[in-house]
């Protein structure tokens, strides 16, 4: 083979290799830049985490009116899911155009999504990232978990959509495929159901009875997961519930003139998040209004660790007499003040209950305590990293890491009624004026050429 | 590269001195306008359907433009002068591509009035418009490269145009065939189809796979031109 | 003299057909070499291989020492080629086209204007610079084709039918130009006008059916070609045919009307035929030499064999 031919073959091979490698690398990394206004088609890291769990073919079928923009957006969105995990395939079916398919899937409404995975079927009510990802999560998980929410002590309701309500928290629980059960230990024989994956008490105001305390502690001790969200406004004494887990509720009202919001020193902003706990992963700052203080017991028993999750600044203090002027005095506790903790207790549970390792098994309890309850109301959940903090806490308690903290996307009105006048305007300009200008320019150039020809 | 630019500039000038270039640009602009009216029937200030239609129109435009690059020049007898000049085949390939890309750019630019009109009447999302145009350029250059490769292989302009269309249709069919297959073959065939690589541009994203695909198409097209020119000798 | 172009054992195959085979010749510096052959002989193929438009399937072409196969770009830099079609882009003006060619052929920016002006002048296109090529007559378009071959001042010129389609004055001007160019360059010229080749070229290459029949000086070739005599006799023309056919150097003798046409070689053929007729007692009324060793004769003889 001549030298030039050899060189040509080598260059050809290099091109083939470059093309294959370039495409393989691009295919593997799925990187993209999203220039859309809402970044609709850049999926949240949490969604990507959910998709990482899909290890077998997963089919998403969206039932939408094909003619509408929603169908096109659905295709765009689902295409992105497919790009990120090639096990995922999708189709968009118009129930009116293909009633057989709709009947086969048992669909009667537009905007329904059906996810099929390993023989499991999960439905979602809408084709948006939140609902589709939730459906995929539930399909992959293969079942739903139940979380129990305490009521009966003046806690706000999960369906309360007012500023002080907890409907956003309810949405998060639902969107992360939890069944939510309300448990009222004040009625009947107090016992926390054993199938509760976690127990939440969001802002109790009224005191707990001794039997309730016993029921909750028994649940916690038996590998339970508890989130106690209390505050300075509570009339209950949370210590019977917190002390077993190394945390002492101080009460009072945290005042932090250095880090607060809106000129109110009790509307505390937390910037110190000294723990490496996954609960504060991705959390930059928190807003904890009307917070009390907690303290970690110095001598913790073996197997119990308590992480100080959120700490106020050195200029803060716990005001013992908040009804008077907020001024530090000798009765007050100087900061920095701990306002959130995560207790993780591992102990060996033997039949005799004596804690001997022989014949026993390890039981793990997790308790998350915050000394403010306002931070997760509807008015405050989307401030700073509050939402992220809650979702992380939920994940830590239930030991699931891929949960979705995305907020609802605001859709912009992009309607454009195509009136006859607008149609005419478009046609006149695009079919008449613009081509006319182009042809005119061409004719001008042509006549200029002819003039030159005559001169020549 | 200078010689590639020389060839490209000459070709571009030749296209626009003739009625062909003006006609193509004007026709593409008019087609874009008609498509706009149809694609706005959803009463939304969205141009994804419009761009989707333009991608198809680009295939036709590429077939028309590329057939002049080599086939028509060979028929006119001027290709011999070019190929006996001290230029390398890759310079000829790149120069020819630059020439037709100039026309492509003008044709695409002539459609700018459409999103401007939509913006004056409604509130479209600017992102998908930017990515749509980026996609038009990238896809257009890729399709033109395919067309050049076909044009270099035949002295008949009509065969060149038809051949280009045939290659693009074959690539599209790969995607259709993929639907009925599974596994790795499905993934490969789907990847080969241009339709799976324009979705990103339509929705407002620029994906690395799509850019890699069309750049590869361009590179392979140009390399094929060089191979064909060498084989003709 | 050093060879500007060396064509060494060049062959070109199209599929199973060998268009040219074992073609060998040199074009020396300061020489105009003629390339002759009937239609389909392989002249254009040979020129296309020399200019790199076609690849040689055998042999090699060296242009100023540069092997066309190894460095086609370098080799082509030395060549100015005017193809037979002389196709030039009709939408461009003359000067725009020549500037384009100058850029394509890597004429330095500073020298381009001068080169283009020189090419215009040499090709006799002085007043036509701004004329669109499409408006020119065939003859002038031919000149434009010649000008583009000259614009980069190449050492080697390959001209395929450079005077085809030109009027007599233009033919003469072009011929003069080629002669002038040939003094300092290597020029390969193909033409059907044998008189033109005979005037311009010291040497010719004769091709037929893809093979070289002769590479020779024009003088040597014409000397070897036959003389044609026409005799008018008072006696029996058939008797004259009988006598002259037996003579050495006579190739053919035929009676055409009252004229005996004799073809043969040798400088003294006329003298010997006249003597033989007279010695035979036949009255020789008139003897005319109608063709004495022309290139056309030599050429026709070669291609007929």
């Amino acid at each position: 083979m001549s030298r030039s031919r050899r060189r040509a073959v080598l260059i050809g091979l290099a091109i083939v290799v470059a093309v294959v490698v370039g495409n393989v690398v691009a295919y593997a990394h799925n990187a993209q830049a999203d220039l859309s206004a809402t970044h609709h088609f850049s999926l949240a890291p949490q969604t990507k985490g959910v998709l990482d769990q899909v290890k077998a073919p997963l089919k998403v079928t969206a039932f939408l009116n094909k003619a509408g923009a929603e169908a096109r957006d659905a295709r765009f969105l689902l295409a992105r899911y497919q790009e990120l995990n090639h096990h995922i395939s999708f189709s968009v079916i118009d129930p009116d155009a293909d009633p057989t398919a709709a009947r086969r899937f048992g669909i009667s409404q537009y905007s329904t999504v059906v996810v099929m995975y390993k023989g499991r079927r999960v439905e979602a009510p809408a084709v948006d990232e939140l609902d589709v990802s939730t459906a995929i999560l539930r399909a992959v998980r293969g079942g739903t978990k139940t979380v129990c929410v305490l009521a009966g002590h003046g806690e706000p309701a999960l369906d309360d959509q007012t500023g002080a309500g907890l409907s956003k928290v309810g949405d998060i629980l639902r969107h992360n495929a939890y069944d939510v059960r309300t448990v009222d230990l004040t009625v009947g024989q107090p016992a926390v159901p054993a199938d509760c994956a976690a127990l939440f008490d969001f802002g109790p105001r009224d005191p707990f009875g001794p039997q309730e305390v016993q029921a909750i502690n028994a649940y916690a001790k038996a590998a339970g997961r508890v989130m106690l969200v209390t505050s300075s406004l509570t009339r209950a004494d949370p210590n019977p519930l917190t002390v077993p887990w190394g945390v002492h509720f101080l009460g009072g009202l945290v005042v932090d003139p250095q880090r607060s919001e809106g000129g109110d020193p009790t509307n505390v902003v937390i910037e110190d998040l000294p723990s490496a706990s996954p609960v504060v992963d991705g959390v930059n700052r928190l807003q904890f209004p009307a917070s009390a203080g907690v303290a970690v017991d110095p001598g913790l028993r073996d197997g119990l660790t308590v992480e100080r999750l959120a700490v106020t600044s050195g200029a803060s203090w716990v005001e013992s007499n908040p009804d008077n002027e907020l001024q530090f005095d000798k009765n007050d506790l100087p900061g920095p003040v701990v306002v959130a903790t995560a207790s993780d207790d591992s102990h060996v549970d033997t039949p005799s209950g004596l804690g001997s390792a022989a014949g026993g098994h390890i039981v793990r309890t997790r308790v998350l305590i915050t000394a403010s309850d306002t931070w997760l109301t509807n008015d405050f959940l989307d401030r700073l990293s509050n939402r992220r903090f809650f979702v992380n806490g939920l994940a830590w308690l239930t030991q699931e890491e891929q949960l979705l903290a995305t907020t609802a996307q605001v859709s912009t009105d992009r309607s454009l009624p195509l009136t006859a006048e607008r149609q005419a305007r478009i046609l006149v300009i695009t079919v008449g004026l613009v081509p006319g200008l182009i042809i005119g320019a061409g004719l001008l150039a042509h006549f200029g050429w002819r003039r030159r020809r005559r001169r020549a | 590269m200078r010689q590639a630019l020389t060839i490209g500039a000459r070709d571009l000038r030749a296209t626009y001195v003739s009625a062909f270039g003006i006609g193509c640009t004007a026709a593409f602009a008019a087609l874009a306008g008609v498509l706009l009216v149809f694609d706005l029937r959803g009463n939304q200030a969205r141009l994804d359907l419009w761009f989707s239609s333009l991608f198809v129109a680009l295939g036709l435009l590429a077939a028309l433009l590329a057939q002049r690059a080599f086939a028509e020049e060979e028929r006119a007898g001027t290709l011999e002068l070019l190929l006996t000049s001290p230029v390398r085949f890759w310079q000829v390939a790149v120069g020819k591509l630059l020439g037709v890309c100039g026309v492509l750019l003008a044709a695409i630019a002539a459609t700018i009035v459409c999103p401007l009109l939509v913006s004056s009447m409604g509130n479209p999302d600017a992102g998908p418009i930017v990515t749509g145009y980026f996609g038009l350029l990238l896809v257009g250059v890729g399709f033109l490269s395919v067309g050049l490769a076909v044009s270099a292989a035949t002295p008949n302009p009509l065969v060149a145009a038809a051949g280009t269309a045939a290659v693009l249709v074959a690539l599209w069919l790969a995607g259709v065939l993929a639907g009925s297959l599974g596994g790795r073959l499905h993934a490969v065939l789907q990847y080969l189809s241009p339709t799976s690589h324009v979705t990103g541009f339509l929705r407002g994203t620029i994906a690395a796979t799509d850019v890699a695909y069309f750049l590869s198409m361009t590179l392979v097209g140009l390399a094929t031109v060089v191979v064909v020119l060498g084989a003709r000798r | 003299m050093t060879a500007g172009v060396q064509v060494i054992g060049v062959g070109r195959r199209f599929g199973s057909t060998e268009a040219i085979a074992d073609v060998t010749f040199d074009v020396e510096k300061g020489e105009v070499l003629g390339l002759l052959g009937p239609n389909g002989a392989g002249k254009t193929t040979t020129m296309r291989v020399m200019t790199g438009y076609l690849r040689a399937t055998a042999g090699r072409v060296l242009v100023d020492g540069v092997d066309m196969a190894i460095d086609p770009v370098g080799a082509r830099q030395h060549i100015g080629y005017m193809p037979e079609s002389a196709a030039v882009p009709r939408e461009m003006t003359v000067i725009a086209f020549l500037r384009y060619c100058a850029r394509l052929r890597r004429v330095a920016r500073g020298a381009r204007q001068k080169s283009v002006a020189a090419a215009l002048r040499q090709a006799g296109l002085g007043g036509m610079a701004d004329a669109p090529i499409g408006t020119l007559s065939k003859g002038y378009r031919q000149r434009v084709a010649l000008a583009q071959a000259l614009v980069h001042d190449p050492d080697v010129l390959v001209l395929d039918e450079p005077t085809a389609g030109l009027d007599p004055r233009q033919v003469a001007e072009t011929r003069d130009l080629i002669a002038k160019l040939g003094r300092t360059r290597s020029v390969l010229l193909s033409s059907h006008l044998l008189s033109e080749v005979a005037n311009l070229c010291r040497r010719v290459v004769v091709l037929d059916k893809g093979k070289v029949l002769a590479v020779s000086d024009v003088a040597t070739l014409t000397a070897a070609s036959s003389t044609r005599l026409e005799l008018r006799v008072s006696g029996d023309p058939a008797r004259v045919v009988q006598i002259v056919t037996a003579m050495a150097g006579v190739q053919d003798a035929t009676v055409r009307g009252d004229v005996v046409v004799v073809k043969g070689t040798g400088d003294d053929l006329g003298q010997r035929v006249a003597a033989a007729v007279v010695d035979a007692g036949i009255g020789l009324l008139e003897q005319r030499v109608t063709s004495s060793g022309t290139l056309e004769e030599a050429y026709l003889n070669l291609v007929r064999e």
Side-chain angles (χ1 to χ4, degrees), chain A residues 35-37 414, chain B residues 119 123-132 204:
Chain A
L35 275 67
S36 64
R414 300 207 189 275
Chain B
S119 299
N123 180 27
D125 186 349
I129 294 175
V130 170
T131 60

Side-chain angles (χ1 to χ4, degrees), chain A residues 59 61 63 91 93 95 98-108 114 116 121 123:
Chain A
K59 177 81 189 276
T61 309
F63 290 88
S91 59
I93 296 177
D98 192 354
T100 316
R103 256 198 313 277
R104 195 169 63 241
F105 279 87
I107 299 303
S108 54
V114 175
M116 302 289 295
R121 176 197 161 114
E123 272 187 34

Side-chain angles (χ1 to χ4, degrees), chain C residues 158-275:
Chain C
V158 178
L159 309 173
D160 200 344
E161 309 278 354
T163 55
L166 299 183
D167 66 40
R169 188 172 62 88
Q170 290 172 333
V171 167
E173 283 171 357
T174 307
R175 205 185 305 149
D176 291 341
L177 171 63
I178 293 171
K180 193 165 136 198
L181 293 168
R183 280 184 223 131
T184 52
R185 291 173 172 78
S186 309
V187 180
L188 179 69
L189 159 80
S190 95
S191 178
H192 282 115
L193 289 175
L194 294 177
S195 55
E196 181 176 278
V197 171
N199 278 324
L200 279 173
C201 307
R202 186 176 60 83
R203 290 192 310 141
V204 292
V205 176
V206 181
L207 277 182
D208 189 26
K209 295 192 179 79
K211 293 200 163 44
V212 171
L213 297 182
V215 181
S216 178
D217 287 357
V218 170
T220 310
L221 215 54
T222 54
S225 75
S226 53
T227 303
R228 190 174 179 275
L229 303 169
E230 283 181 4
L231 285 76
R232 274 190 338 107
V233 296
S234 59
D236 181 9
R239 178 95 174 91
V240 172
V241 168
Q242 213 175 4
I243 293 165
V244 301
T245 306
M247 286 172 65
V250 170
Q251 291 165 344
D252 185 58
T254 50
V255 177
R256 299 229 175 108
D258 61 349
V259 166
V260 178
V261 176
V262 180
K263 283 191 194 155
T265 57
D267 292 337
D268 61 348
L269 181 72
Q271 221 174 326
R272 286 190 295 117
V273 163

